[in-house]
Amino acid sequence: MLAEAVDALAIRPDGLYVDCTFGRGGHSRAILERLGEGGALLALDRDPAAVAAAAQIEDARFRIVHARFGKLSECVAAQGWTHVDGAFLDLGVSSPQIDSAERGFSFRLDGPLDMRMDTTTGHSAEQWLAQAPEDQIKEVIKTYGEERFAGPIARAIVAARSRSAVRTTGQLAKIVGQAVRTREPGQDPATRTFQAIRIFVNQELEELSLALDRALALLAPRGRLVVITFHSLEDRLVKRFMRSHSQPPPVPRGLAVREADRPRPLLRLVGKPQQPSAQEIAANPRSRSAMLRVAERLAA
């Protein structure tokens, strides 16, 4: 949804924009094409490989920072900016991450059980699974994977690690496959478990909550917040955030307030949520679950 997302930003030639999820730079390059000489684009990514790829962009209006998007405020302030005219987030895992066996994101490719988006810090999935209590593993898989077989999967993981360390994606996928009795047609038994562990290891929902709050605080009037989600948990979070801030803050019960004095909402929703076209899904099946939501900052 590259064109739709960039269109939704309503780019001003002299504006200041943030691509919070650089990936391999497709959206950043499209934004730069629409910026004038007076505009600027700041890109963030927590993946060192993505930051290295950004070196290919030789443009004085562009800069890249190795940081998670929960650090949005600090990164923007470091540029000397006091506001932005648009913030974009393309959530989830990028294709280069999924297609690289050594990153450990895919149950289809056997490799080290890592799953960290930032390979320079934090505990890998292997390290966490080696010591996490069964109850915690169950809760993570249930909460972040919405997996109804979380209990049997957690028990199977703990039983397997008592015999030998669970070090690879192939091992984990096999353990999960044996523990899940049935699954929706066309979905691998390990899908939900891998999603859950990845979200937990990277603290994705916590980072998203931070980024949304900070983007709202930074947006100039008429600035756009554009978010692409890929699963129900993050989409629910984005939807609730945008909806809550597109309504006036509640007035305490029993307090008489004139309509003119009521607090105003901070955002307005722009259009309806968009999904990829049939043509895009045919060309890129991984886009089938994408959801694009847009909100605009209202004047104070």
Side-chain angles (χ1 to χ4, degrees), residues 238-291:
V238 173
K239 177 173 67 175
R240 288 175 177 171
F241 177 86
M242 289 184 174
R243 282 186 176 176
S244 67
H245 289 290
S246 65
Q247 300 168 355
V251 175
R253 178 177 262 178
L255 181 64
V257 178
R258 295 184 307 170
E259 183 62 29
D261 295 331
R262 289 192 65 186
R264 300 302 182 203
L266 299 176
L267 293 172
R268 76 172 183 90
L269 303 180
V270 178
K272 295 181 179 180
Q274 298 181 55
Q275 294 179 283
S277 65
Q279 292 86 347
E280 180 169 358
I281 293 173
N284 177 22
R286 287 173 179 167
S287 71
R288 64 187 179 277
S289 59
M291 184 73 73

Side-chain angles (χ1 to χ4, degrees), residues 195-267:
Q195 171 186 295
I197 296 173
R198 187 205 82 217
I199 291 173
F200 175 78
V201 165
N202 293 289
Q203 297 292 285
E204 291 178 33
L205 298 185
E206 292 82 358
E207 285 295 313
L208 177 56
S209 292
L210 284 172
L212 292 173
D213 283 334
R214 294 179 177 189
L216 176 59
L218 286 166
L219 280 176
R222 295 177 57 209
R224 294 282 183 90
L225 173 61
V226 179
V227 187
I228 297 177
T229 62
F230 284 88
H231 61 75
S232 60
L233 292 176
E234 61 191 16
D235 186 61
R236 196 176 304 138
L237 197 159
V238 173
K239 177 173 67 175
R240 288 175 177 171
F241 177 86
M242 289 184 174
R243 282 186 176 176
S244 67
H245 289 290
S246 65
Q247 300 168 355
V251 175
R253 178 177 262 178
L255 181 64
V257 178
R258 295 184 307 170
E259 183 62 29
D261 295 331
R262 289 192 65 186
R264 300 302 182 203
L266 299 176
L267 293 172

Side-chain angles (χ1 to χ4, degrees), residues 115-248:
M115 294 196 191
R116 291 173 298 165
M117 291 182 175
D118 184 350
T119 53
T120 68
T121 188
H123 296 292
S124 68
E126 177 193 342
Q127 292 170 320
W128 177 67
L129 285 174
Q131 50 79 36
E134 181 180 320
D135 285 350
Q136 186 186 25
I137 297 173
K138 174 184 174 181
E139 188 61 27
V140 165
I141 295 173
K142 179 181 178 181
T143 301
Y144 297 130
E146 300 179 297
E147 172 60 79
R148 65 183 184 275
F149 298 117
I153 292 170
R155 286 195 296 273
I157 291 171
V158 171
R161 78 185 185 190
S162 70
R163 298 187 294 269
S164 62
V166 181
R167 300 186 183 279
T168 71
T169 55
Q171 285 177 282
L172 179 59
K174 183 177 180 180
I175 293 166
V176 176
Q178 293 172 343
V180 174
R181 297 188 299 275
T182 182
R183 178 56 74 221
E184 297 86 347
Q187 185 179 86
D188 190 283
T191 300
R192 294 177 182 273
T193 297
F194 270 65
Q195 171 186 295
I197 296 173
R198 187 205 82 217
I199 291 173
F200 175 78
V201 165
N202 293 289
Q203 297 292 285
E204 291 178 33
L205 298 185
E206 292 82 358
E207 285 295 313
L208 177 56
S209 292
L210 284 172
L212 292 173
D213 283 334
R214 294 179 177 189
L216 176 59
L218 286 166
L219 280 176
R222 295 177 57 209
R224 294 282 183 90
L225 173 61
V226 179
V227 187
I228 297 177
T229 62
F230 284 88
H231 61 75
S232 60
L233 292 176
E234 61 191 16
D235 186 61
R236 196 176 304 138
L237 197 159
V238 173
K239 177 173 67 175
R240 288 175 177 171
F241 177 86
M242 289 184 174
R243 282 186 176 176
S244 67
H245 289 290
S246 65
Q247 300 168 355

